[in-house]
Amino acid sequence: AQGRSHHILDHTHGDAGHFSIFAHGDYLAYDTAYFNMDETTHSVVLIDHQPHFKHTQGIYYSGRFSAVRSESDWLDYLCVDAASAKGCIWADRHLLFLRGEGDEESCLLIYDNINRDNANHGFQWQLQGHLDSAIAVTGSDSARVSGKKARLDCRFFVPPPEDFPTAPHTLKVWTDAHPHRQVMTGEPETNPRLVAEDTGPGCLLVAAIVPRRIDQPPLEIIREPAYRTFHLRLRHPGFEDEVIIAGDHRFIRTDGVKTAAELVVIRRRPGHPRASGHRMGRRLNFSAYFRVPRK
């Protein structure tokens, strides 16, 4: 979770909330490691394309894990508080790892909620790709990270213009060759990098990262309309995961769910009279079950 800590006093990597991903025998989301210390070389969010602290100045402000929980046998949840590391009013990264009935049906959801100073900024979400991977932009809100055996299907979601009419969010997705230093020699080299940029009054960005084997069909992800709320349905063979994210207001009102929470995850299986669900967030520390109508 970045920077100096009680455990490692000389750690100077700008990596609060950084992730690496191995899937089906491929290393796809990469850790540049060792010589590469700034936020620009990690899978974290930049603000206006710049690291907040350069490692040459000493990274004295650390991120911290504000929640680490295994909610059930199919859901793990983490929250990283990177406000100090990024010099922000708040900077929360929520990570939801949803497992399926087998290793074919896993999904990682990352929700970044960042407020630098109540002004408009560009927030660059980064995935550092392995040197041997290929990254392609597949749509205005999607991209694919491909290895030899597996791939990551990536979808990105920001608030629609009607949620912030005086300062609407915009989304731009691109890929480039990003400079870093070779981990064994320190010599310059590049890796493919995926960037999703949310421009607006703070960062409100959801990334769905779905590991698939090369020959697997993509996962169907549907976004339901909901004011100031991300409402997603992930339709797997045999079950459906519903993810509802209410950001800071923690006031969820959809047709099937009414509760106070920052995040709700519900799994539905055909023929089951009751779906299992969990409520999460920085200030909430409990789980619950929800009665929802069957379809």
Short mmCIF file of all heavy atoms in Angstrom, two decimals, residues 236-285:
data_model
loop_
_atom_site.label_atom_id
_atom_site.label_comp_id
_atom_site.label_asym_id
_atom_site.label_seq_id
_atom_site.Cartn_x
_atom_site.Cartn_y
_atom_site.Cartn_z
N HIS A 236 -23.05 -14.80 -16.02
CA HIS A 236 -22.27 -16.01 -16.24
C HIS A 236 -23.21 -17.15 -16.62
O HIS A 236 -24.41 -17.10 -16.34
CB HIS A 236 -21.52 -16.40 -14.95
CG HIS A 236 -20.56 -15.37 -14.47
ND1 HIS A 236 -19.23 -15.35 -14.85
CD2 HIS A 236 -20.72 -14.32 -13.62
CE1 HIS A 236 -18.62 -14.34 -14.24
NE2 HIS A 236 -19.50 -13.70 -13.50
N PRO A 237 -22.69 -18.21 -17.22
CA PRO A 237 -23.51 -19.40 -17.41
C PRO A 237 -23.91 -19.98 -16.05
O PRO A 237 -23.05 -20.31 -15.24
CB PRO A 237 -22.59 -20.36 -18.17
CG PRO A 237 -21.55 -19.49 -18.80
CD PRO A 237 -21.36 -18.34 -17.86
N GLY A 238 -25.18 -20.04 -15.77
CA GLY A 238 -25.64 -20.66 -14.54
C GLY A 238 -25.87 -19.73 -13.37
O GLY A 238 -26.48 -20.13 -12.37
N PHE A 239 -25.41 -18.50 -13.42
CA PHE A 239 -25.67 -17.56 -12.33
C PHE A 239 -25.41 -16.14 -12.81
O PHE A 239 -24.82 -15.90 -13.87
CB PHE A 239 -24.81 -17.88 -11.10
CG PHE A 239 -23.32 -17.67 -11.30
CD1 PHE A 239 -22.71 -16.48 -10.97
CD2 PHE A 239 -22.53 -18.70 -11.81
CE1 PHE A 239 -21.35 -16.29 -11.14
CE2 PHE A 239 -21.17 -18.52 -12.00
CZ PHE A 239 -20.58 -17.32 -11.67
N GLU A 240 -25.90 -15.18 -12.02
CA GLU A 240 -25.72 -13.76 -12.34
C GLU A 240 -25.26 -13.02 -11.09
O GLU A 240 -25.78 -13.23 -10.00
CB GLU A 240 -27.04 -13.15 -12.83
CG GLU A 240 -26.95 -11.65 -13.09
CD GLU A 240 -28.28 -11.04 -13.49
OE1 GLU A 240 -28.66 -11.21 -14.66
OE2 GLU A 240 -28.94 -10.43 -12.62
N ASP A 241 -24.25 -12.16 -11.25
CA ASP A 241 -23.81 -11.29 -10.17
C ASP A 241 -24.30 -9.87 -10.45
O ASP A 241 -24.10 -9.34 -11.55
CB ASP A 241 -22.28 -11.28 -10.06
CG ASP A 241 -21.74 -12.58 -9.49
OD1 ASP A 241 -22.48 -13.24 -8.74
OD2 ASP A 241 -20.58 -12.93 -9.79
N GLU A 242 -24.95 -9.30 -9.46
CA GLU A 242 -25.42 -7.92 -9.54
C GLU A 242 -24.55 -7.07 -8.61
O GLU A 242 -24.42 -7.38 -7.42
CB GLU A 242 -26.88 -7.82 -9.13
CG GLU A 242 -27.47 -6.42 -9.23
CD GLU A 242 -28.94 -6.38 -8.88
OE1 GLU A 242 -29.47 -7.42 -8.43
OE2 GLU A 242 -29.56 -5.32 -9.05
N VAL A 243 -23.93 -6.03 -9.15
CA VAL A 243 -23.05 -5.15 -8.38
C VAL A 243 -23.63 -3.74 -8.43
O VAL A 243 -23.88 -3.20 -9.50
CB VAL A 243 -21.62 -5.16 -8.94
CG1 VAL A 243 -20.72 -4.23 -8.11
CG2 VAL A 243 -21.05 -6.58 -8.95
N ILE A 244 -23.86 -3.15 -7.24
CA ILE A 244 -24.42 -1.81 -7.13
C ILE A 244 -23.46 -0.97 -6.29
O ILE A 244 -23.11 -1.36 -5.17
CB ILE A 244 -25.81 -1.82 -6.48
CG1 ILE A 244 -26.72 -2.84 -7.19
CG2 ILE A 244 -26.44 -0.44 -6.53
CD1 ILE A 244 -28.04 -3.08 -6.46
N ILE A 245 -23.03 0.16 -6.84
CA ILE A 245 -22.04 1.02 -6.18
C ILE A 245 -22.64 2.41 -6.04
O ILE A 245 -22.99 3.04 -7.04
CB ILE A 245 -20.73 1.08 -6.97
CG1 ILE A 245 -20.15 -0.34 -7.13
CG2 ILE A 245 -19.72 1.99 -6.28
CD1 ILE A 245 -18.94 -0.42 -8.04
N ALA A 246 -22.75 2.88 -4.80
CA ALA A 246 -23.41 4.16 -4.53
C ALA A 246 -22.44 5.25 -4.13
O ALA A 246 -22.85 6.30 -3.64
CB ALA A 246 -24.47 3.98 -3.45
N GLY A 247 -21.15 5.04 -4.30
CA GLY A 247 -20.18 6.09 -4.04
C GLY A 247 -20.26 6.62 -2.63
O GLY A 247 -20.36 5.86 -1.67
N ASP A 248 -20.25 7.93 -2.50
CA ASP A 248 -20.20 8.54 -1.19
C ASP A 248 -21.56 8.65 -0.52
O ASP A 248 -21.64 8.77 0.70
CB ASP A 248 -19.58 9.94 -1.30
CG ASP A 248 -18.21 9.87 -1.93
OD1 ASP A 248 -17.35 9.20 -1.36
OD2 ASP A 248 -18.03 10.46 -3.00
N HIS A 249 -22.65 8.65 -1.31
CA HIS A 249 -23.94 8.91 -0.66
C HIS A 249 -24.49 7.69 0.05
O HIS A 249 -25.35 7.81 0.92
CB HIS A 249 -24.95 9.47 -1.67
CG HIS A 249 -25.20 8.59 -2.86
ND1 HIS A 249 -26.05 7.51 -2.83
CD2 HIS A 249 -24.70 8.65 -4.12
CE1 HIS A 249 -26.09 6.95 -4.03
NE2 HIS A 249 -25.27 7.61 -4.83
N ARG A 250 -24.03 6.47 -0.33
CA ARG A 250 -24.42 5.25 0.39
C ARG A 250 -25.93 5.12 0.54
O ARG A 250 -26.45 4.80 1.61
CB ARG A 250 -23.74 5.20 1.77
CG ARG A 250 -22.24 5.24 1.71
CD ARG A 250 -21.59 4.98 3.05
NE ARG A 250 -21.97 5.95 4.05
CZ ARG A 250 -21.44 7.16 4.17
NH1 ARG A 250 -20.50 7.54 3.31
NH2 ARG A 250 -21.82 7.98 5.12
N PHE A 251 -26.63 5.39 -0.56
CA PHE A 251 -28.10 5.36 -0.52
C PHE A 251 -28.56 4.65 -1.78
O PHE A 251 -28.72 5.26 -2.84
CB PHE A 251 -28.64 6.79 -0.45
CG PHE A 251 -30.12 6.88 -0.20
CD1 PHE A 251 -30.66 6.56 1.04
CD2 PHE A 251 -30.98 7.28 -1.22
CE1 PHE A 251 -32.02 6.65 1.27
CE2 PHE A 251 -32.35 7.38 -1.00
CZ PHE A 251 -32.87 7.07 0.25
N ILE A 252 -28.77 3.35 -1.69
CA ILE A 252 -29.08 2.52 -2.85
C ILE A 252 -30.58 2.33 -2.95
O ILE A 252 -31.22 1.86 -2.00
CB ILE A 252 -28.36 1.16 -2.76
CG1 ILE A 252 -26.84 1.37 -2.91
CG2 ILE A 252 -28.87 0.20 -3.82
CD1 ILE A 252 -26.03 0.11 -2.74
N ARG A 253 -31.11 2.71 -4.11
CA ARG A 253 -32.54 2.54 -4.39
C ARG A 253 -32.70 2.04 -5.82
O ARG A 253 -32.66 2.82 -6.77
CB ARG A 253 -33.30 3.87 -4.19
CG ARG A 253 -33.37 4.36 -2.76
CD ARG A 253 -34.21 3.42 -1.91
NE ARG A 253 -34.34 3.87 -0.52
CZ ARG A 253 -33.53 3.52 0.45
NH1 ARG A 253 -32.46 2.76 0.18
NH2 ARG A 253 -33.73 3.92 1.70
N THR A 254 -32.83 0.73 -5.98
CA THR A 254 -33.13 0.15 -7.28
C THR A 254 -34.44 -0.61 -7.15
O THR A 254 -35.02 -0.70 -6.07
CB THR A 254 -32.02 -0.81 -7.74
OG1 THR A 254 -32.02 -1.98 -6.91
CG2 THR A 254 -30.65 -0.14 -7.66
N ASP A 255 -34.91 -1.19 -8.25
CA ASP A 255 -36.18 -1.91 -8.21
C ASP A 255 -36.14 -3.08 -7.22
O ASP A 255 -37.14 -3.39 -6.57
CB ASP A 255 -36.53 -2.43 -9.61
CG ASP A 255 -36.92 -1.30 -10.55
OD1 ASP A 255 -37.25 -0.21 -10.05
OD2 ASP A 255 -36.87 -1.51 -11.78
N GLY A 256 -34.97 -3.73 -7.09
CA GLY A 256 -34.90 -4.91 -6.26
C GLY A 256 -34.19 -4.74 -4.93
O GLY A 256 -34.30 -5.59 -4.05
N VAL A 257 -33.42 -3.65 -4.77
CA VAL A 257 -32.57 -3.49 -3.58
C VAL A 257 -32.75 -2.09 -3.02
O VAL A 257 -32.60 -1.09 -3.73
CB VAL A 257 -31.09 -3.73 -3.92
CG1 VAL A 257 -30.23 -3.59 -2.66
CG2 VAL A 257 -30.89 -5.11 -4.53
N LYS A 258 -33.02 -2.02 -1.73
CA LYS A 258 -33.09 -0.75 -1.02
C LYS A 258 -32.32 -0.91 0.28
O LYS A 258 -32.71 -1.67 1.16
CB LYS A 258 -34.54 -0.36 -0.74
CG LYS A 258 -35.34 -0.05 -2.01
CD LYS A 258 -36.80 0.25 -1.71
CE LYS A 258 -37.51 0.72 -2.97
NZ LYS A 258 -37.45 -0.27 -4.06
N THR A 259 -31.18 -0.20 0.39
CA THR A 259 -30.34 -0.35 1.57
C THR A 259 -29.39 0.84 1.66
O THR A 259 -29.31 1.66 0.75
CB THR A 259 -29.54 -1.66 1.50
OG1 THR A 259 -28.86 -1.88 2.73
CG2 THR A 259 -28.53 -1.63 0.36
N ALA A 260 -28.67 0.93 2.78
CA ALA A 260 -27.64 1.94 2.98
C ALA A 260 -26.28 1.25 2.91
O ALA A 260 -25.94 0.47 3.79
CB ALA A 260 -27.82 2.64 4.32
N ALA A 261 -25.54 1.50 1.83
CA ALA A 261 -24.23 0.90 1.66
C ALA A 261 -23.52 1.60 0.52
O ALA A 261 -24.15 2.17 -0.37
CB ALA A 261 -24.35 -0.60 1.38
N GLU A 262 -22.19 1.56 0.54
CA GLU A 262 -21.42 2.05 -0.60
C GLU A 262 -21.43 1.03 -1.74
O GLU A 262 -21.48 1.40 -2.90
CB GLU A 262 -19.98 2.34 -0.19
CG GLU A 262 -19.80 3.58 0.66
CD GLU A 262 -18.34 3.88 0.93
OE1 GLU A 262 -17.80 3.28 1.88
OE2 GLU A 262 -17.76 4.69 0.21
N LEU A 263 -21.34 -0.26 -1.39
CA LEU A 263 -21.30 -1.32 -2.39
C LEU A 263 -22.20 -2.47 -1.96
O LEU A 263 -22.22 -2.85 -0.78
CB LEU A 263 -19.88 -1.86 -2.57
CG LEU A 263 -18.78 -0.91 -3.00
CD1 LEU A 263 -18.00 -0.43 -1.79
CD2 LEU A 263 -17.83 -1.59 -3.97
N VAL A 264 -22.91 -3.02 -2.91
CA VAL A 264 -23.72 -4.22 -2.69
C VAL A 264 -23.39 -5.21 -3.82
O VAL A 264 -23.32 -4.82 -4.99
CB VAL A 264 -25.22 -3.90 -2.68
CG1 VAL A 264 -26.05 -5.18 -2.78
CG2 VAL A 264 -25.60 -3.12 -1.43
N VAL A 265 -23.18 -6.47 -3.45
CA VAL A 265 -22.98 -7.53 -4.43
C VAL A 265 -23.98 -8.64 -4.12
O VAL A 265 -24.07 -9.11 -2.99
CB VAL A 265 -21.55 -8.09 -4.39
CG1 VAL A 265 -21.38 -9.15 -5.48
CG2 VAL A 265 -20.52 -6.98 -4.58
N ILE A 266 -24.72 -9.06 -5.13
CA ILE A 266 -25.75 -10.09 -4.97
C ILE A 266 -25.51 -11.16 -6.04
O ILE A 266 -25.32 -10.85 -7.21
CB ILE A 266 -27.16 -9.51 -5.14
CG1 ILE A 266 -27.43 -8.45 -4.06
CG2 ILE A 266 -28.22 -10.61 -5.07
CD1 ILE A 266 -28.69 -7.67 -4.31
N ARG A 267 -25.53 -12.41 -5.62
CA ARG A 267 -25.42 -13.53 -6.55
C ARG A 267 -26.75 -14.26 -6.62
O ARG A 267 -27.31 -14.64 -5.59
CB ARG A 267 -24.31 -14.49 -6.14
CG ARG A 267 -24.24 -15.74 -7.01
CD ARG A 267 -22.88 -16.40 -6.95
NE ARG A 267 -21.87 -15.56 -7.59
CZ ARG A 267 -20.58 -15.92 -7.70
NH1 ARG A 267 -20.17 -17.07 -7.22
NH2 ARG A 267 -19.73 -15.11 -8.30
N ARG A 268 -27.24 -14.44 -7.84
CA ARG A 268 -28.50 -15.15 -8.07
C ARG A 268 -28.23 -16.41 -8.89
O ARG A 268 -27.50 -16.36 -9.88
CB ARG A 268 -29.49 -14.26 -8.83
CG ARG A 268 -29.99 -13.05 -8.07
CD ARG A 268 -31.03 -12.32 -8.91
NE ARG A 268 -31.63 -11.22 -8.18
CZ ARG A 268 -31.14 -9.99 -8.15
NH1 ARG A 268 -30.04 -9.72 -8.82
NH2 ARG A 268 -31.75 -9.04 -7.47
N ARG A 269 -28.84 -17.50 -8.47
CA ARG A 269 -28.77 -18.75 -9.23
C ARG A 269 -30.19 -19.16 -9.60
O ARG A 269 -31.10 -19.07 -8.78
CB ARG A 269 -28.11 -19.85 -8.41
CG ARG A 269 -26.64 -19.59 -8.08
CD ARG A 269 -26.07 -20.75 -7.27
NE ARG A 269 -24.66 -20.57 -6.98
CZ ARG A 269 -24.19 -19.93 -5.92
NH1 ARG A 269 -25.05 -19.39 -5.06
NH2 ARG A 269 -22.90 -19.82 -5.72
N PRO A 270 -30.41 -19.63 -10.81
CA PRO A 270 -31.76 -20.05 -11.20
C PRO A 270 -32.28 -21.14 -10.27
O PRO A 270 -31.56 -22.07 -9.90
CB PRO A 270 -31.57 -20.59 -12.63
CG PRO A 270 -30.32 -19.94 -13.11
CD PRO A 270 -29.45 -19.76 -11.92
N GLY A 271 -33.54 -20.99 -9.84
CA GLY A 271 -34.16 -21.99 -9.00
C GLY A 271 -33.94 -21.81 -7.52
O GLY A 271 -34.54 -22.52 -6.71
N HIS A 272 -33.06 -20.85 -7.13
CA HIS A 272 -32.84 -20.62 -5.70
C HIS A 272 -33.82 -19.55 -5.22
O HIS A 272 -33.88 -18.46 -5.78
CB HIS A 272 -31.40 -20.16 -5.46
CG HIS A 272 -30.40 -21.27 -5.52
ND1 HIS A 272 -29.57 -21.58 -4.47
CD2 HIS A 272 -30.12 -22.16 -6.50
CE1 HIS A 272 -28.81 -22.61 -4.81
NE2 HIS A 272 -29.13 -22.97 -6.04
N PRO A 273 -34.58 -19.83 -4.17
CA PRO A 273 -35.58 -18.87 -3.72
C PRO A 273 -34.98 -17.64 -3.06
O PRO A 273 -35.64 -16.63 -2.91
CB PRO A 273 -36.41 -19.67 -2.71
CG PRO A 273 -35.46 -20.71 -2.21
CD PRO A 273 -34.59 -21.06 -3.38
N ARG A 274 -33.71 -17.72 -2.68
CA ARG A 274 -33.12 -16.60 -1.96
C ARG A 274 -31.71 -16.37 -2.50
O ARG A 274 -30.91 -17.31 -2.60
CB ARG A 274 -33.07 -16.93 -0.47
CG ARG A 274 -32.56 -15.81 0.40
CD ARG A 274 -32.99 -16.10 1.83
NE ARG A 274 -31.94 -15.76 2.78
CZ ARG A 274 -32.10 -15.78 4.08
NH1 ARG A 274 -33.24 -16.16 4.59
NH2 ARG A 274 -31.12 -15.47 4.89
N ALA A 275 -31.40 -15.13 -2.86
CA ALA A 275 -30.08 -14.81 -3.37
C ALA A 275 -29.17 -14.42 -2.20
O ALA A 275 -29.62 -13.88 -1.20
CB ALA A 275 -30.16 -13.66 -4.37
N SER A 276 -27.87 -14.69 -2.32
CA SER A 276 -26.93 -14.28 -1.28
C SER A 276 -26.32 -12.94 -1.67
O SER A 276 -26.01 -12.68 -2.83
CB SER A 276 -25.83 -15.33 -1.10
OG SER A 276 -25.14 -15.55 -2.32
N GLY A 277 -26.18 -12.06 -0.68
CA GLY A 277 -25.67 -10.73 -0.97
C GLY A 277 -24.83 -10.18 0.17
O GLY A 277 -24.90 -10.64 1.30
N HIS A 278 -24.02 -9.16 -0.16
CA HIS A 278 -23.13 -8.57 0.83
C HIS A 278 -23.10 -7.06 0.64
O HIS A 278 -23.08 -6.56 -0.48
CB HIS A 278 -21.71 -9.14 0.69
CG HIS A 278 -21.65 -10.62 0.90
ND1 HIS A 278 -21.56 -11.19 2.14
CD2 HIS A 278 -21.72 -11.64 0.02
CE1 HIS A 278 -21.54 -12.52 2.01
NE2 HIS A 278 -21.64 -12.80 0.74
N ARG A 279 -23.08 -6.35 1.77
CA ARG A 279 -22.93 -4.90 1.76
C ARG A 279 -21.52 -4.56 2.24
O ARG A 279 -21.04 -5.12 3.22
CB ARG A 279 -23.96 -4.25 2.68
CG ARG A 279 -25.38 -4.41 2.21
CD ARG A 279 -26.35 -3.62 3.06
NE ARG A 279 -26.66 -4.30 4.31
CZ ARG A 279 -27.65 -3.90 5.12
NH1 ARG A 279 -28.37 -2.85 4.82
NH2 ARG A 279 -27.89 -4.55 6.24
N MET A 280 -20.89 -3.58 1.57
CA MET A 280 -19.50 -3.25 1.90
C MET A 280 -19.28 -1.75 1.78
O MET A 280 -20.05 -1.02 1.18
CB MET A 280 -18.54 -3.98 0.95
CG MET A 280 -18.51 -5.47 1.16
SD MET A 280 -17.94 -6.32 -0.29
CE MET A 280 -19.34 -6.11 -1.36
N GLY A 281 -18.17 -1.31 2.32
CA GLY A 281 -17.75 0.08 2.21
C GLY A 281 -16.79 0.43 3.32
O GLY A 281 -16.58 -0.33 4.26
N ARG A 282 -16.19 1.59 3.22
CA ARG A 282 -15.19 1.98 4.21
C ARG A 282 -15.78 2.08 5.61
O ARG A 282 -15.14 1.80 6.59
CB ARG A 282 -14.58 3.33 3.83
CG ARG A 282 -13.60 3.26 2.67
CD ARG A 282 -12.75 4.49 2.60
NE ARG A 282 -13.56 5.71 2.64
CZ ARG A 282 -13.29 6.74 3.41
NH1 ARG A 282 -12.28 6.70 4.26
NH2 ARG A 282 -14.04 7.81 3.37
N ARG A 283 -17.02 2.54 5.71
CA ARG A 283 -17.61 2.77 7.02
C ARG A 283 -18.58 1.68 7.44
O ARG A 283 -19.23 1.79 8.46
CB ARG A 283 -18.32 4.13 7.03
CG ARG A 283 -17.38 5.28 6.72
CD ARG A 283 -18.13 6.57 6.51
NE ARG A 283 -17.25 7.62 6.08
CZ ARG A 283 -16.85 7.83 4.85
NH1 ARG A 283 -17.29 7.03 3.89
NH2 ARG A 283 -16.04 8.82 4.54
N LEU A 284 -18.69 0.65 6.60
CA LEU A 284 -19.62 -0.43 6.91
C LEU A 284 -18.82 -1.71 7.10
O LEU A 284 -17.92 -2.02 6.33
CB LEU A 284 -20.63 -0.60 5.77
CG LEU A 284 -21.55 0.60 5.59
CD1 LEU A 284 -22.28 0.48 4.26
CD2 LEU A 284 -22.56 0.69 6.72
N ASN A 285 -19.15 -2.47 8.11
CA ASN A 285 -18.32 -3.61 8.45
C ASN A 285 -19.17 -4.83 8.74
O ASN A 285 -18.98 -5.53 9.72
CB ASN A 285 -17.48 -3.25 9.68
CG ASN A 285 -16.18 -4.04 9.68
OD1 ASN A 285 -15.83 -4.67 8.71
ND2 ASN A 285 -15.47 -4.00 10.80
#
